[in-house]
Amino acid sequence: RFGHEAVGLGHDGVGHRRRVLDQGVVDVGQVGSLTLRIRSTGTAPLHVTPSVSCATFVVAIGDGPHTIAPGDSLQLTVNFIPTSAGPVECTLSLGADCPTVTLRGTGRAQPQCSLSTNLLDYGPVAVGGGVSYTIRVRNVGNAPMDIAPSSSCAAFTMTAGGGASTIAPGRSEEH
């Protein structure tokens, strides 16, 4: 007789029977991990071969064919690696002896700031004189980036490009 029990392990290690594992929100390009334990509850060995239906989820630990003896279990780790923003749903197939498990996650886009320089060395400046520099602010992330350049010191002022603005992914502004 075949029997099985798919038990999802949460971050607290407590098992819950479920056929849907939701990774939640993970930043694009980052990795979120879910753990799933498959227990053989029957009297015959359980044969499983984990595979996923899309490239966004990967069986990181426990990939390949396995035979689970009655009363034993196999722990799998499935990684969610979103490549774009938005919801993703895939299927984790475990083999003919087990039901499928739905894998869900949502990719979140993130802005990322890159500066043309992170040090402005003015050197010696005569009292009453001035030196100007321009900094290029580039958004190398994958979501719009809100900026509000300002000076926190009275000896330094912004002569152009101050104020709030939004920089689209792949674009830049000079300040």
Side-chain angles (χ1 to χ4, degrees):
R1 169 171 112 77
F2 289 103
H4 60 273
E5 178 182 29
V7 180
L9 296 177
H11 296 291
D12 58 0
V14 176
H16 305 280
R17 286 176 186 79
R18 56 183 145 175
R19 290 205 181 144
V20 175
L21 292 176
D22 192 337
Q23 176 59 57
V25 178
V26 175
D27 292 339
V28 171
Q30 299 300 309
V31 178
S33 294
L34 292 169
T35 302
L36 173 73
R37 187 177 66 224
I38 304 158
R39 182 179 304 133
S40 177
T41 59
T43 57
L46 180 63
H47 302 282
V48 297
T49 304
S51 65
V52 291
S53 64
C54 67
T56 311
F57 285 91
V58 177
V59 178
I61 298 174
D63 194 19
H66 301 275
T67 301
I68 307 170
D72 284 346
S73 63
L74 170 69
Q75 186 167 302
L76 303 177
T77 298
V78 179
N79 288 346
F80 173 51
I81 311 166
T83 57
S84 61
V88 177
E89 186 170 297
C90 294
T91 301
L92 171 64
S93 298
L94 299 169
D97 295 342
C98 293
T100 60
V101 176
T102 300
L103 302 171
R104 291 185 183 143
T106 301
R108 178 177 53 201
Q110 291 291 303
Q112 184 176 352
C113 183
S114 173
L115 302 175
S116 57
T117 184
N118 61 356
L119 174 66
L120 298 177
D121 185 354
Y122 289 86
V125 177
V127 174
V131 176
S132 293
Y133 285 106
T134 300
I135 297 175
R136 179 170 294 279
V137 181
R138 182 170 185 81
N139 181 359
V140 295
N142 50 25
M145 179 174 66
D146 295 323
I147 65 168
S150 63
S151 174
S152 62
C153 178
F156 295 89
T157 59
M158 296 197 60
T159 58
S165 64
T166 300
I167 304 174
R171 308 291 293 180
S172 62
E173 292 181 358
E174 288 188 351
H175 293 272

